[in-house]
Amino acid sequence: MEFYNQPPSASLARGPGSVRISYPRAGCIQDWTSEPWSSTAQTPTLAKWSPVFCLPAPVGRTTGGPETGDLAAAFGLLGEKELSEENQSVDTGGHLALPSMCFTSSGTRVSLELVAEMASLFYGLIDQTREFLHVAETPVPSVGEYLKKEISQQVAHWTEDEETKKLKLAILNAFFSVECCISGTHSMDLVALAPFGEYTVLPGLDCTFSGGYQGLTNHIMGSLPKDVMVFNKPVKTIHWNGSFQEAAFPGETFPVLVECDDGGRFPAHHVIVTVPLGRAHFSGFLKEHQDTFFDPPLPAEKVEAIRKIGFGTNNKVFLEFEKPFWEPHCQFIQMVWEDTSPLQDTASGLQDSWFKKLIGFLVLPSFKSVHVLCGFIAGLESEFMETLSDEEVLLSLTQVLRKMTGNPQLPAPKSVLRSRWHSAPYTRGSYSYVAVGSTGDDMDLLAQPLPEDGTGPQLQILFAGEATHRTFYSTTHGALLSGWREADRLIGLWDLKMQQPHSRL
């Protein structure tokens, strides 16, 4: 089941059926609740619930599975239609619904039948990637290479005129951009083929949280003691495998000490770390800070897993209009850039072409006469967009919409709102994927607690978050399940301790 919230937002995910939530993007149970587009966005929190400290951060391509849906239902955030068996059992195959309208960059309408034909080809090939999950060797390393290889063979048998062939390739290129948003990557050439099918797809249709996704996190936090969450407390270093004392706990020795930027010090028996992973060779909080964030440093094999797992950027762009220019009941407006092809690399600069990575716009449910489109854009183009001013983005997208619709008088949007996941210092990107050179084993390795060798107190540092879930990575339900996993791990440890004579919490 997927959920959209109000104020308007939307999200994409390979797993249909997931609670697809955004604004704010979902995170672990102990998450911050401000998007990186907010000037008041809070820094990661500390959960002051000794003997465990949680260091949370936003995670996941705002999707969540039945666990998240169950929580939403329990909190009364869903209506009868959303909870109906019919709504929850629909299987979309994990693919984005076909567009209601499709425009080319020259302002012509594309036949929806032709779009459906190319969607069937593209998503059929995506489904075929699951065949390589358990094979010893794949024909090519990446999903992108496999798709292009198969499409090239299909093109050889096309009998249409050259213009129609070019249009079909341009439509396929648009679907590549959609898949980049879903996977949170700049290019499908970066996504490993063999483990691609390990992501588990869930059934269900889209739903909307009428009061915003904050309703879910607020209910969860409502069950915690007051003042247990500490905001605007950036962590500098987690010291572990030590022996630390605190005046408030005379005679108690702690193996972990959390040191904050402002000099604050928090001793603990256990720390659960869910900071965003980061993108190999480029950015990401954990990738950027792994040398200084832990003392002693992480074991070499965990550092290598962090390096190999992919991490990219997928941003949303909201455009508010005085009046809708789209047709009634329209749900998705797709944009097709002519003279583009997945079989050819484009060499134009980002300044003049960043908007060509935009997949189009989802039409969000009207709310108090507010008319909003939500666009998605991934990769380096998405990161370049973050460097532009709101005025520059608004001007570029107004020109794009006027050209696409063939209406040079189309009124400009009255406002723009966008996420900036790559620029946000505590995220430095959106969510993870299994990159070429990595496997699900790397996510399992990342999830292993420290210390690994059994020396010193157990479970000093635990790891949760979407990048630590092998089959639900990049999603809210993956993050939630990983948090429950680590909670169960700690419960198991303390249950054993409580059974021992003279044990104490």
Side-chain angles (χ1 to χ4, degrees):
M1 186 183 298
E2 303 168 0
F3 297 86
Y4 297 153
N5 46 278
Q6 295 284 72
S9 78
S11 184
L12 298 176
R14 187 182 309 120
S18 327
V19 178
R20 214 171 277 196
I21 321 168
S22 28
Y23 193 85
R25 191 155 52 96
C28 293
I29 295 176
Q30 310 85 6
D31 199 355
W32 63 28
T33 55
S34 294
E35 280 275 18
W37 52 53
S38 169
S39 60
T40 60
Q42 295 163 311
T43 57
T45 63
L46 291 174
K48 297 191 303 180
W49 209 352
S50 187
V52 182
F53 272 68
C54 299
L55 304 182
V59 292
R61 62 176 168 216
T62 67
T63 72
E67 298 79 12
T68 319
D70 290 344
L71 287 175
F75 295 146
L77 302 176
L78 299 176
E80 292 184 5
K81 180 180 179 181
E82 288 80 8
L83 294 173
S84 69
E85 182 177 351
E86 178 184 7
N87 200 55
Q88 296 189 37
S89 62
V90 174
D91 188 356
T92 65
H95 310 311
L96 185 66
L98 294 178
S100 308
M101 304 169 67
C102 183
F103 295 100
T104 68
S105 50
S106 64
T108 60
R109 293 282 290 266
V110 180
S111 162
L112 295 183
E113 288 76 13
L114 185 60
V115 174
E117 178 187 344
M118 293 300 97
S120 177
L121 169 59
F122 183 83
Y123 290 131
L125 294 176
I126 288 289
D127 292 340
Q128 287 180 24
T129 62
R130 292 185 174 273
E131 299 173 2
F132 301 103
L133 180 55
H134 299 296
V135 300
E137 186 176 351
T138 59
V140 291
S142 73
V143 174
E145 291 169 284
Y146 172 75
L147 294 175
K148 288 184 281 189
K149 175 176 173 288
E150 295 296 316
I151 289 172
S152 295
Q153 295 177 1
Q154 294 281 339
V155 171
H157 299 288
W158 288 352
T159 58
E160 296 92 343
D161 59 82
E162 289 302 314
E163 287 303 311
T164 302
K165 291 180 182 179
K166 288 182 179 180
L167 179 57
K168 291 171 73 171
L169 285 170
I171 296 172
L172 287 171
N173 197 68
F175 283 111
F176 269 80
S177 295
V178 169
E179 198 65 29
C180 284
C181 286
I182 292 172
S183 292
T185 183
H186 172 64
S187 168
M188 296 307 295
D189 290 352
L190 301 175
V191 181
L193 176 58
F196 187 65
E198 196 162 20
Y199 177 89
T200 302
V201 173
L202 300 172
L205 293 179
D206 299 346
C207 301
T208 299
F209 283 169
S210 60
Y213 181 56
Q214 292 92 327
L216 183 59
T217 53
N218 288 344
H219 275 87
I220 295 174
M221 289 182 60
S223 64
L224 300 176
K226 290 184 178 180
D227 302 323
V228 75
M229 305 296 292
V230 180
F231 292 92
N232 296 311
K233 200 77 171 177
V235 172
K236 179 181 179 182
T237 305
I238 301 172
H239 304 273
W240 58 289
N241 246 0
S243 180
F244 306 100
Q245 295 182 336
E246 171 65 30
F249 300 93
E252 186 84 24
T253 299
F254 299 87
V256 185
L257 179 70
V258 177
E259 180 185 358
C260 298
D261 283 347
D262 63 1
R265 295 160 63 90
F266 298 88
H269 293 294
H270 313 283
V271 172
I272 301 176
V273 179
T274 68
V275 295
L277 176 67
R279 182 154 53 88
H281 311 306
F282 289 93
S283 61
F285 183 87
L286 197 52
K287 289 179 183 289
E288 289 182 343
H289 297 83
Q290 62 187 18
D291 292 337
T292 59
F293 200 60
F294 299 95
D295 178 29
L298 296 176
E301 59 271 20
K302 194 178 287 285
V303 171
E304 181 65 7
I306 293 171
R307 185 193 68 81
K308 291 195 296 183
I309 299 172
F311 192 83
T313 302
N314 177 30
N315 277 314
K316 299 184 285 287
V317 186
F318 300 94
L319 299 178
E320 180 188 5
F321 291 84
E322 193 72 42
K323 296 180 180 179
F325 66 84
W326 48 92
E327 298 172 352
H329 310 298
C330 177
Q331 295 181 324
F332 175 38
I333 303 171
Q334 188 176 38
M335 302 164 68
V336 173
W337 296 92
E338 294 165 299
D339 299 325
T340 62
S341 167
L343 307 181
Q344 297 177 347
D345 294 328
T346 56
S348 54
L350 291 176
Q351 180 70 48
D352 301 320
S353 65
W354 66 268
F355 43 79
K356 291 186 178 181
K357 195 69 168 286
L358 197 72
I359 68 166
F361 295 92
L362 293 180
V363 180
L364 302 186
S366 295
F367 181 71
K368 295 183 178 179
S369 301
V370 176
H371 308 288
V372 177
L373 297 180
C374 176
F376 291 85
I377 183 170
L380 298 179
E381 292 85 354
S382 182
E383 294 170 11
F384 177 81
M385 181 196 68
E386 296 186 28
T387 68
L388 303 176
S389 67
D390 284 350
E391 291 74 20
E392 289 173 311
V393 172
L394 192 63
L395 176 61
S396 293
L397 296 186
T398 298
Q399 293 173 342
V400 166
L401 287 172
R402 286 173 176 173
K403 189 174 182 181
M404 287 276 182
T405 60
N407 180 9
Q409 305 303 319
L410 184 73
K414 59 186 296 187
S415 65
V416 60
L417 182 69
R418 56 201 167 112
S419 58
R420 296 181 177 89
W421 287 115
H422 181 259
S423 302
Y426 299 110
T427 58
R428 304 295 285 132
S430 299
Y431 42 77
S432 64
Y433 60 91
V434 185
V436 172
S438 67
T439 69
D441 291 344
D442 294 305
M443 292 181 167
D444 287 343
L445 198 159
L446 179 60
Q448 291 303 306
L450 298 175
E452 298 174 325
D453 55 10
T455 61
Q458 294 178 278
L459 306 184
Q460 296 178 34
I461 302 181
L462 302 96
F463 296 86
E466 55 86 16
T468 69
H469 200 291
R470 184 169 185 144
T471 59
F472 290 141
Y473 55 87
S474 79
T475 67
T476 299
H477 53 285
L480 180 63
L481 288 170
S482 73
W484 288 352
R485 177 193 68 212
E486 299 312 308
D488 286 338
R489 203 191 300 267
L490 286 173
I491 290 171
L493 173 67
W494 284 94
D495 279 348
L496 289 175
K497 286 181 176 290
M498 292 301 294
Q499 295 172 14
Q500 298 172 0
H502 311 297
S503 64
R504 55 178 290 190
L505 282 176

